[in-house]
Amino acid sequence: MKEYKVVKTSERNAEKVMNDMAKEGWEVVTVTYWSYWWVSLLITFCREA
């Protein structure tokens, strides 16, 4: 069974977030550019539960 997590972050912090999540066994599934009032990234991760 897979487990998913969505994290909202800035472009500036995206690499750190992805590296930190990878250390916990998470893999990036998608990255979505989101612009509403400010620019952010929505990163979807998954791992085996």
Side-chain angles (χ1 to χ4, degrees):
M1 179 174 204
K2 293 194 183 240
E3 174 181 21
Y4 292 89
K5 185 173 205 164
V6 177
V7 176
K8 181 177 162 186
T9 187
S10 68
E11 267 185 275
R12 180 180 299 170
N13 293 326
E15 186 175 349
K16 181 182 182 331
V17 168
M18 288 187 279
N19 285 329
D20 289 346
M21 295 295 287
K23 290 176 187 173
E24 296 177 20
W26 293 94
E27 293 182 25
V28 174
V29 176
T30 63
V31 178
T32 305
Y33 182 80
W34 182 261
S35 178
Y36 188 62
W37 291 104
W38 58 89
V39 174
S40 59
L41 297 175
L42 299 176
I43 306 172
T44 305
F45 296 91
C46 80
R47 70 176 176 186
E48 290 296 324

